[in-house]
Amino acid sequence: MQSFLSRALLCAVCLAASPPAALAANDARPMVKVDPAGHYKAVYDIHSDEIAAGISRGLYYARGLVEAFGKQGVKPAQLDVHLVLHGDAAQFLLNDDAWQRMQGDPFAVNLNAKIVQDLLDLGMHVEICHSVMKSKGWTPDDVLPGVAIVHDGYTRLIKLQTDGYPYIGGF
């Protein structure tokens, strides 16, 4: 057993010192990137209450999109992105008063409020489904400032896709 471990360690050291030719050849491949002068649009379908890094997974990944474009020289002003929150995700667009009522905790804070404001400041369109609001008893006063209220999530998603916005789902 000891000789097997010794050989494995020796192989690992050799690979670290000089990678195989196949690995070195891959380093020479060009990276495919977007045109930094281009304009890009998309619509995010955010309907799940899944969390990533303490906030809505969909909002987290939308923020990541801005960063990914930025690393390729695309400024936020070149992006036209709509985030349509409906279903279980709509709750992430509530102000703290409504969040506290929903949670039954007078000290609860909606941790999504900051990222929503950041996304709005970057020029993204954040939208909440009125059908969900109505079913939950929420009013426009319960929604974070700057968030647009759309009739319903599904028709909004269809409208934006019809207008040429590529669909990003899974959130």
Side-chain angles (χ1 to χ4, degrees), residues 93-164:
L93 300 180
L94 295 176
N95 62 34
D96 282 342
D97 289 339
W99 184 263
Q100 290 166 359
R101 285 193 312 273
M102 184 190 74
Q103 297 292 326
D105 179 352
F107 301 105
V109 175
N110 182 356
L111 298 177
N112 295 279
K114 180 175 180 352
I115 192 166
V116 168
Q117 189 58 56
D118 290 348
L119 293 168
L120 289 167
D121 291 346
L122 288 167
M124 289 196 170
H125 308 275
V126 182
E127 304 171 357
I128 189 170
C129 171
H130 182 261
S131 294
V132 172
M133 289 176 59
K134 186 176 174 184
S135 73
K136 302 285 188 181
W138 302 333
T139 68
D141 291 336
D142 293 328
V143 177
L144 292 168
V147 173
I149 300 171
V150 299
H151 183 272
D152 64 277
Y154 292 124
T155 60
R156 183 65 174 155
L157 290 166
I158 291 168
K159 166 71 169 119
L160 288 166
Q161 289 176 76
T162 301
D163 290 346

Side-chain angles (χ1 to χ4, degrees), residues 28-48:
R29 287 187 285 178
M31 174 86 58
V32 177
K33 294 185 176 184
V34 299
D35 177 2
H39 290 271
Y40 303 94
K41 58 185 182 178
V43 57
Y44 271 74
D45 176 1
I46 305 174
H47 59 271
S48 168

Side-chain angles (χ1 to χ4, degrees), residues 44 55-72 74 79 81 83 115 119 122 124 168 171:
Y44 271 74
I55 58 172
S56 158
R57 183 172 170 257
L59 297 175
Y60 174 82
Y61 277 94
R63 181 66 174 97
L65 179 75
V66 176
E67 292 170 7
F69 271 110
K71 288 177 182 177
Q72 297 176 72
V74 177
L79 302 175
V81 179
L83 311 174
I115 192 166
L119 293 168
L122 288 167
M124 289 196 170
I168 301 176
F171 303 104

